Amino acid sequence: EDKVVQSPLSLVVHEGDTVTLNCSYEVTNFRSLLWYKQEKKAPTFLFMLTSSGIEKKSGRLSSILDKKELFSILNITATQTGDSAVYLCAVELQGGSEKLVFGKGMKLTVNP
Amino acid sequence: GAGVSQSPSNKVTEKGKDVELRCDPISGHTALYWYRQSLGQGLEFLIYFQGNSAPDKSGLPSDRFSAERTGGSVSTLTIQRTQQEDSAVYLCASSLVRARPDGYTFGSGTRLTVV
């Protein structure tokens, strides 16, 4: 069974801290790994990773994929209260299926 | 419209009743997806539409669940004889290009509560 596991499931930090979110996966036909940020209800796209070792960056957020060890990390530096959200990791499967397999999500709370 | 619109935003229904959830995708987006997010769980794939056809409906949990899409636009997810375990947030997403998840735009979802 295709599986995506995120850790930790929740984290509370202070503004200015750096956080690392982990995502490991076990799937039959990997195509890509995606990170989403979910505030309230609608997830918003952060990163799509297809190749190992290539870091993607967007402002204070960055992410990298390790296809040998089957995991990805999402880093957030100098956290702000606006970073408080649920962060979702998902794997896109190859081979005709159009679906994403999601982890349970990691709830990040950034306190002032 | 500017984004993916879902209605209603909240729905409370009695066990055994039928419900219809609606999704208006972004104009011109040919791919449309339904996901379900139960409390404490990740998003769970339900069904994928390309145009009006559904090449992958493998995630529909039972024959009480059905979905259709008309005119390559609006989609309706119908749950018959609702059960308490159907309580969840139902999210719709659309995409301009088939099989490009980075191009998904999610709606704000419908929170369904079955009492």
Side-chain angles (χ1 to χ4, degrees), chain A:
Chain A
E1 185 188 340
D2 298 315
K3 192 166 59 173
V4 175
V5 177
Q6 292 186 245
S7 64
L9 292 182
S10 68
L11 194 57
V12 180
V13 300
H14 291 291
E15 263 191 320
D17 288 351
T18 293
V19 298
T20 299
L21 286 59
N22 301 290
C23 176
S24 64
Y25 61 91
E26 229 178 276
V27 302
T28 46
N29 289 299
F30 176 91
R31 175 182 281 167
S32 66
L33 185 141
L34 299 100
W35 286 96
Y36 288 86
K37 179 181 182 182
Q38 187 177 28
E39 299 169 277
K40 303 197 179 173
K41 286 191 238 172
T44 53
F45 172 78
L46 295 175
F47 297 111
M48 179 177 179
L49 303 153
T50 54
S51 302
S52 271
I54 299 173
E55 186 182 50
K56 293 219 172 175
K57 290 196 75 158
S58 176
R60 296 176 293 102
L61 277 66
S62 64
S63 184
I64 197 160
L65 173 67
D66 185 328
K67 289 170 76 173
K68 183 179 174 190
E69 299 298 329
L70 308 183
F71 78 91
S72 172
I73 59 171
L74 175 68
N75 272 321
I76 309 174
T77 59
T79 51
Q80 301 171 356
T81 54
D83 295 327
S84 296
V86 174
Y87 290 83
L88 301 170
C89 175
V91 170
E92 181 194 9
L93 303 181
Q94 202 169 31
S97 171
E98 308 298 343
K99 61 189 171 217
L100 299 179
V101 179
F102 281 85
K104 290 186 179 182
M106 197 285 275
K107 183 176 180 181
L108 175 65
T109 303
V110 181
N111 289 325

Side-chain angles (χ1 to χ4, degrees), chain A residues 38 40-43, chain B residues 4-11 21-23 34-35 37 88-93 106-112:
Chain A
Q38 187 177 28
K40 303 197 179 173
K41 286 191 238 172
Chain B
V4 177
S5 177
Q6 290 189 245
S7 61
S9 54
N10 285 286
K11 175 76 177 177
L21 312 180
R22 178 186 166 106
C23 172
W34 284 97
Y35 284 83
Q37 189 172 31
V89 175
Y90 289 81
L91 288 159
C92 174
F106 279 88
S108 292
T110 294
R111 183 178 297 280
L112 175 66

Side-chain angles (χ1 to χ4, degrees), chain B residues 36-37 45 62 66 68 74 80 87 91-92:
Chain B
R36 175 170 76 171
Q37 189 172 31
F45 169 81
S62 75
S66 63
E68 65 173 12
V74 172
Q80 295 178 308
S87 296
L91 288 159
C92 174

